[in-house]
Amino acid sequence: MLYHLFYPLKTVFGGFNVFRYITFRSIYAILTALIICFLVGPWVIRQLQKYQIGQYIREDGPASHFSKAGTPTMGGILIIGATLAATLLWADLTNPYIWLLIFVTVGFGGIGFLDDYLKLIKKHNRGLSGRGKLAGQIVVAAVVAGWLYALPGFDTTLTLPFFKDVRPDLGWGFIPLAIFIIVGSANAVNLTDGLDGLAIGPVTIAAAFFMIFAYLSGNIKIAEYLQIPYVRGAGELAIFCAALVGAGMGFLWYNSYPAQVFMGDVGALALGGILGTVAIATKQEILLALVGGIFVVEALSVIIQVTFFKVTNGRRIFRMAPIHHHYELKGWPEPKVIVRFWILALILGLLALSTLKLR
Ligand code: 57M
């Protein structure tokens, strides 16, 4: 909104020309979302406490988690609210990618909200059924994939890191792949969200890297120089990613160990859906597996554990899956697991960035 308000006034006051720059608006989107979290966060947490939206803790989990009973959840509302508010303030609202991201945030956030709401407010033990939740996610992801496919000039080729000349064109086959990436990303972030700050740290780091990728792929000169796909209009996604970086840091303020609030499915599913969609829109879908490597490892640990458990009639590879519980049960204090996973997330992001030069 500020872009639409002030940029046209550049003829009156030349200084308003600065609103044209994605870099300038990204910085202020980060700060806006962060300040919203600081200002509204304590009130949101009080409301969640007031309505007793507290977390039920499973009895079969690590004993260190029992003391977390009653921690308010559904804090994802704060992340989503701050991200959307900062985006609406600083982004160019005529850009289709911005609306696509708003749609995916509300869609996946809505499914997560319904699940959290049924679990907590209605005291419905299991929330939405697993199948219902997955079906909803597939529908939202299919709309996103179809929307992208229908965008004029949208490129359905696959970008492979390291191989600038190998770019298979998937045609309509791009749609199922996009659905798989978005739904997979949402569920992988959800599985990771089991220790204080464990999900929001790597999500914020991944959003920061995608902020850079979006900026680069939306600039024709830089994209040509780096030999990455140029996606017209994708630069504006840097503003959305920036808003998410600010909201992520703002939420971490309260979610850091010992957490005052958890994000709930409303946060985890929305964040994963966002990362999947940004990766596809910026044509860096394969690179997502590296930038979001922590989520991939967490999801793989569950797949490996469950398969092995079934095949061997009850034997386990990890002490407990997802893998963060394995390290907890090995005796690592919770903050050590969390901070080490953040460090790994940062390294993976840097490796992903380095692939831009290795082609
Ligand atoms: C969500 N939810 C957290 C909080 C958060 C197939 C199976 C592996 C699925 C998996 C599962 O259900 N994962 C989905 C995990 C829960 O957090 C809530 O959920 C929201 C995210 N959706 O925002 O509202 C608990 O996590 C802890 N937490 C924190 N800090 C945070 O900032 O400490 C969360 C956020 C919270 C809190 O304790 O209550 C969760 O872990 O339940 N299932 C599992 O993860 C279970 N694993 C399992 O059963 N493993 C088996 C194999 C054979 C599948 C095994 O290895 O033997 C574990 N989870 C728990 N107890 N809690 C094990 C048992």
Side-chain angles (χ1 to χ4, degrees), residues 76-118:
I77 294 171
L78 179 67
I79 311 174
I80 293 182
T83 304
L84 293 186
T87 300
L88 290 173
L89 274 178
W90 293 102
D92 170 1
L93 300 179
T94 59
N95 182 295
Y97 290 108
I98 291 294
W99 290 103
L100 185 74
L101 260 298
I102 293 176
F103 172 79
V104 87
T105 309
V106 174
F108 275 81
I111 296 167
F113 182 90
L114 203 62
D115 192 39
D116 288 336
Y117 180 83
L118 289 175

Side-chain angles (χ1 to χ4, degrees), residues 55-62 65-66 68 72-74 115-116 119 133 187 189-199 251 255 259 261-266 268-269 302 305-306 309 316 318-322 324-325 334:
Q55 182 71 45
Y56 158 79
I57 306 288
R58 282 172 54 166
E59 282 157 16
D60 55 351
H65 283 244
F66 298 157
K68 294 173 184 249
T73 185
M74 292 180 87
D115 192 39
D116 288 336
K119 263 189 229 158
K133 211 156 105 176
N187 287 289
V189 172
N190 198 19
L191 285 173
T192 307
D193 189 28
L195 299 180
D196 300 349
L198 187 69
F251 179 72
N255 181 232
V261 66
F262 299 153
M263 68 171 76
D265 277 22
V266 58
L269 292 181
V302 170
Q305 178 92 326
V306 174
F309 189 86
R316 290 180 165 83
F318 304 106
R319 295 189 185 189
M320 191 184 278
H324 51 261
H325 288 318
E334 183 175 343

Side-chain angles (χ1 to χ4, degrees), residues 21-31 83 86-87 90-92 95 97-98 101 206-219 231 233-246 274 278 281-282:
Y21 299 109
I22 288 176
T23 42
F24 171 81
R25 288 184 286 125
S26 295
I27 291 170
Y28 281 90
I30 296 179
L31 294 176
T83 304
T87 300
W90 293 102
D92 170 1
N95 182 295
Y97 290 108
I98 291 294
L101 260 298
F209 281 102
F210 275 112
M211 176 176 76
I212 299 172
F213 289 133
Y215 179 75
L216 301 178
S217 54
N219 183 308
V231 187
E236 206 61 28
L237 280 183
I239 315 274
F240 189 98
C241 293
L244 183 53
V245 169
I274 290 170
V278 174
T282 53

